[in-house]
Amino acid sequence: MTVSSRTPRPIDHLVLPVSDLGIARERLTQLGFTVAGDARHPFGTENCCVFLSDGSYLEPLGIANREECEEAARAGNVFVARDQAFRFRRGLEGFSAIAMASGDAWEDDQRYTAAGLSGGEVLEFSRDMLLPDGTSATGSFRLAFAADLRSPDFFFFASQRVLPLPSDRKALEGHENGVVALAEVVLSEQNPTDFQYLVQEAADEREVEALSFGMSVDTPRGRITVLNDDGLEGFYGISPAGADRGLKGRAVVFRVSSLSDCRRLLDQRGVAFRERDDRLLVPPASGQGVLFVFGE
């Protein structure tokens, strides 16, 4: 594939492992998000998604049935196997993966394989979702995985909606905190450019912005930034990750319609936060495994 034939991929959603969906729902609601109903995957995991009006969403991911998850992982389900490995190494909550929107996951799988970045076999599945009006719908998906063996705690995948769920999600896309879009996701690594090719291939984008403390790749929906320890400390006040190498999910940055309104809501609900560079930084808590950042 030539550079000219590339089509940069927007961020589709973020995978956020949680210890308990009920706790995640309570925390996200406290932060002013509208949370969709619980939904089961056919391989033992479950989620309660937060849909944003820019088309992206958060996927808090829980374990509905451990035996089903273990069986799926043994059978070669990369998504579940990666989730189990993350929970074993990093704990039950955090930020483990970025899904990029795809129109052809099989083609993406071929591209990842050609680049030496295939994360495993393509996964196809269907699941039901409860809609705000009380009805249900079935969606079918195809996932292709991109990963680097040097980075066991974070991966990317292309997410193709083979049979999309109903697109009218307006009732779920309005949030009391005023969040309207996913602005940026922040990863960490001591030497960010060691994983430049993985990020570029996942986003299908060759342009990289070199930063003093890392690198960024812009996508049609949100920016992916990888920072070293000094960058994490300087921009977000996050303590260094230590000697452990590989990509780590560290923060999610949202764009809000009104920072003052968002600040007021967080104050009213007793949510602890810090202000830094005209942004509100909410540290991780039960049900929210990474730093959330709100800014205009």
Side-chain angles (χ1 to χ4, degrees), residues 58-261:
L58 310 181
E59 182 185 18
L61 185 71
I63 303 298
N65 186 297
R66 182 164 298 281
E67 290 74 19
E68 289 180 14
C69 287
E70 292 173 351
E71 182 180 352
R74 287 194 297 269
N77 184 313
V78 175
F79 183 80
V80 176
R82 285 266 175 181
D83 181 64
Q84 288 191 322
F86 180 92
R87 293 172 191 272
F88 179 83
R89 286 177 48 82
R90 310 302 304 179
L92 299 181
E93 302 199 342
F95 175 18
S96 62
I98 299 174
M100 310 302 295
S102 171
D104 188 339
W106 286 115
E107 182 179 283
D108 289 315
D109 181 60
Q110 293 175 356
R111 182 164 53 84
Y112 301 157
T113 300
L117 296 169
S118 172
E121 294 184 6
V122 170
L123 173 65
E124 298 183 89
F125 69 95
S126 298
R127 73 169 180 86
D128 293 330
M129 176 182 176
L130 183 65
L131 301 177
D133 63 3
T135 62
S136 63
T138 300
S140 295
F141 306 87
R142 183 176 295 132
L143 312 182
F145 302 93
D148 188 317
L149 289 174
R150 300 173 301 168
S151 181
D153 301 322
F154 202 88
F155 67 104
F156 295 83
F157 60 97
S159 179
Q160 179 185 0
R161 303 178 189 185
V162 180
L163 179 62
L165 289 163
S167 59
D168 186 7
R169 304 187 304 207
K170 294 299 182 185
L172 294 172
E173 292 176 350
H175 305 283
E176 290 182 275
N177 54 24
V179 167
V180 294
L182 177 66
E184 185 174 22
V185 291
V186 181
L187 314 180
S188 70
E189 157 56 26
Q190 291 180 27
N191 187 19
T193 55
D194 281 353
F195 295 93
Q196 175 178 330
Y197 295 129
L198 175 61
V199 177
Q200 287 176 308
E201 204 62 51
D204 205 8
E205 171 59 79
R206 279 290 172 258
E207 294 296 323
V208 176
E209 180 181 355
L211 309 172
S212 299
F213 303 107
M215 65 176 188
S216 284
V217 173
D218 284 321
T219 86
R221 187 190 296 133
R223 164 181 274 208
I224 301 171
T225 296
V226 186
L227 297 175
N228 61 21
D229 288 345
D230 289 339
L232 285 177
E233 177 67 38
F235 290 118
Y236 298 102
I238 298 177
S239 300
D244 192 16
R245 296 293 304 275
L247 295 174
K248 307 288 189 301
R250 305 307 296 267
V252 181
V253 183
F254 302 97
R255 188 168 74 247
V256 298
S257 55
S258 169
L259 192 64
S260 60
D261 288 348

